[in-house]
């Protein structure tokens, strides 16, 4: 009998600590929108013709 009481006490303690799930966090609370302005957007556009300028290859750098 004493062992069952100890198990029930431990089970009650676990349930008190872990018995319910945490509250949901809304998506709006996890994201932040920042207006960057037009100046920042002009310099960061993707340019497929100019991407070769940023290509780095060790074999090409060594002339192999």
């Amino acid at each position: 009998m004493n062992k069952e009481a100890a198990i029930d006490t431990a089970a009650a303690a676990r349930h008190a600590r872990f018995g319910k799930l945490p509250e949901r966090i809304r998506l709006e609370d996890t994201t932040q929108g920042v207006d960057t302005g037009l100046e920042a957007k002009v310099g960061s556009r993707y340019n497929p013709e100019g991407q070769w300028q940023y290509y780095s290859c060790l074999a090409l750098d060594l002339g192999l």
Side-chain angles (χ1 to χ4, degrees):
M1 291 286 199
N2 201 8
K3 187 176 182 180
E4 289 179 11
I7 292 173
D8 291 339
T9 306
R14 274 194 311 276
H15 183 69
R17 185 172 180 190
F18 305 109
K20 64 178 184 173
L21 295 174
E23 294 182 20
R24 281 189 173 255
I25 300 174
R26 297 183 347 206
L27 180 63
E28 294 82 23
D29 295 338
T30 61
T31 58
Q32 178 181 6
V34 178
D35 186 23
T36 59
L38 186 57
E39 305 86 34
K41 293 180 183 177
V42 172
S44 63
R45 288 189 181 149
Y46 175 69
N47 182 8
E49 287 83 20
Q51 290 296 26
W52 65 271
Q53 297 170 351
Y54 304 107
Y55 179 73
S56 178
C57 178
L58 182 60
L60 291 176
D61 291 342
L62 295 175
L64 299 176

